[in-house]
Amino acid sequence: MNKLRQHSFLAFLCLLLILPTLVFGECTCDEEEDGDRNKTEALKYKLVAIASILVASAIGVGIPILGKTIPALHPDRNIFFLIKAFAAGVILATGFIHVLPDAFENLTSPCLKENPWGKFPFTGSHSKNNQAQPVENGGDEEKAGEHEGHVHVHTHATHGHSHGSVDTSPTTQLLRHRVISQVLELGIIVHSVIIGISLGASESPDTIRPLVAALTFHQFFEGMGLGGCISQAKFKARGVAIMALFFSLTTPVGIAIGIGISNVYKENSPTALIVEGVFNAASAGILIYMSLVDLLAADFMNPKMQSNGRLQAGANIALLLGAGCMSLLAKWA
């Protein structure tokens, strides 16, 4: 019970830390003013962004992978748990603070004059049809009794199933780590391509300049989280190289695509808003789920973590630091 209270208190502190960054700016349909545009200077910043993000991504994803050859960074060491907790905080904050708000902003933009999904925000998959319907007076008690009995039996069966069929064999755990790393990379890649295209299509140096530093740190921290998952998946050298290369190249390739379509791309057009909004929403869902269920829950329930109070405290602090760093970067950008 005391551990539950401690974790709840730490989660509350984390929420207080990230809440101030959830304030949305005013959304308008105005294009960049001509006075802000400078193609030559903007191109210089874009080339710098491609180089810096490429290097930072490669270093970030490479540190945990190379940890197998460095005793201090081996997956069984305490420092590895702290690195993964920090990276999980980064990925969680990325989903909640950076990607999901962008999706809501895109799909509720005033530039979409005809909202194709009605009055409910499509980003969060809210639906009026999902609301509970009132039960008619006739047979209320009978239906309620049947429902309660069904729930009881189902819960009991599920409870027994969860305790009787959990497979913790090395083969199953290895397969789990491989699925986690691949799905997590998918969510990161989708978002990375979108932000790369947005940066590459912009012709305003004032817009690009702060994004270069913010996205460089962003990709570095995300790379650490992904690299930790890849190292635990124990892919062959070729598979590791392909996954690391894909992650490192996605944002720079997105920037290059944005540069190529900068003359025809309009970020406030209905098509661009819907496509970016849908992909950002899907990416946010992947990042939030993977960070909470497959990274944090798995590590915090690890017997080594459960039996070491100092490691638990360090992991909680690392989690808060990771979320805080990404919160600051999201606000900066």
Side-chain angles (χ1 to χ4, degrees):
M1 190 65 180
N2 290 333
K3 289 184 178 180
L4 180 60
R5 290 179 178 177
Q6 291 176 0
H7 291 162
S8 300
F9 178 71
L10 289 171
F12 177 70
L13 288 179
C14 182
L15 182 63
L16 289 179
L17 182 66
I18 65 177
L19 269 179
T21 64
L22 298 178
V23 180
F24 290 93
E26 183 181 357
C27 181
T28 64
C29 296
D30 299 333
E31 300 289 338
E32 292 176 351
E33 296 181 1
D34 293 337
D36 294 335
R37 296 185 179 184
N38 188 327
K39 289 187 177 181
T40 304
E41 187 176 357
L43 182 60
K44 293 180 182 178
Y45 284 115
K46 293 174 187 178
L47 296 178
V48 171
I50 290 175
S52 63
I53 292 174
L54 178 62
V55 172
S57 300
I59 293 175
V61 75
I63 288 176
I65 294 175
L66 296 177
K68 293 181 178 180
T69 60
I70 303 175
L73 296 178
H74 196 271
D76 293 333
R77 296 297 184 95
N78 290 349
I79 186 66
F80 191 77
F81 281 92
L82 300 181
I83 292 175
K84 284 189 66 179
F86 180 88
V90 170
I91 294 172
L92 180 62
T94 299
F96 268 123
I97 296 173
H98 187 58
V99 188
L100 189 59
D102 285 351
F104 271 104
E105 184 177 351
N106 289 334
L107 296 179
T108 58
S109 172
C111 304
L112 296 175
K113 297 180 180 179
E114 294 183 1
N115 194 338
W117 33 81
K119 60 184 291 187
F120 293 95
F122 182 71
T123 319
S125 299
H126 293 285
S127 174
K128 186 175 182 180
N129 294 330
N130 291 335
Q131 295 177 0
Q133 298 295 328
V135 182
E136 296 181 0
N137 293 333
D140 282 354
E141 295 179 2
E142 181 180 353
K143 291 182 179 180
E146 291 177 357
H147 179 70
E148 288 176 1
H150 171 72
V151 171
H152 174 73
V153 173
H154 176 73
T155 304
H156 179 74
T158 305
H159 180 74
H161 175 74
S162 64
H163 281 276
S165 62
V166 175
D167 190 354
T168 58
S169 64
T171 303
T172 302
Q173 292 300 312
L174 180 61
L175 179 61
R176 173 179 169 273
H177 287 306
R178 290 185 174 182
V179 171
I180 289 172
S181 61
Q182 291 171 340
V183 176
L184 181 61
E185 178 157 16
L186 175 63
I188 293 175
I189 283 177
V190 169
H191 172 59
S192 297
V193 171
I194 291 175
I195 60 177
I197 292 175
S198 298
L199 188 151
S202 176
E203 296 178 352
S204 171
D206 293 336
T207 300
I208 300 173
R209 193 181 298 114
L211 285 176
V212 174
L215 292 180
T216 299
F217 284 104
H218 178 278
Q219 292 299 108
F220 174 77
F221 291 138
E222 275 193 344
M224 290 181 65
L226 179 62
C229 294
I230 294 175
S231 66
Q232 288 186 309
K234 297 180 181 179
F235 288 106
K236 293 182 179 179
R238 182 179 179 182
V240 172
I242 291 175
M243 292 189 71
L245 187 64
F246 260 88
F247 169 76
S248 302
L249 290 177
T250 46
T251 303
V253 168
I255 296 174
I257 293 174
I259 294 174
I261 64 174
S262 58
N263 292 329
V264 296
Y265 177 80
K266 295 182 179 180
E267 61 179 3
N268 288 328
S269 67
T271 301
L273 288 170
I274 292 175
V275 171
E276 289 184 16
V278 170
F279 277 104
N280 272 333
S283 177
I286 292 174
L287 296 180
I288 292 170
Y289 177 86
M290 299 299 289
S291 60
L292 288 175
V293 177
D294 292 317
L295 296 180
L296 290 177
D299 283 348
F300 276 80
M301 294 303 294
N302 188 295
K304 184 174 183 178
M305 178 83 76
Q306 290 288 316
S307 61
N308 192 331
R310 295 181 62 182
L311 182 58
Q312 287 185 32
N316 279 290
I317 293 173
L319 171 63
L320 293 174
L321 288 176
C325 288
M326 189 51 58
S327 301
L328 294 175
L329 289 177
K331 193 175 184 67
W332 186 11

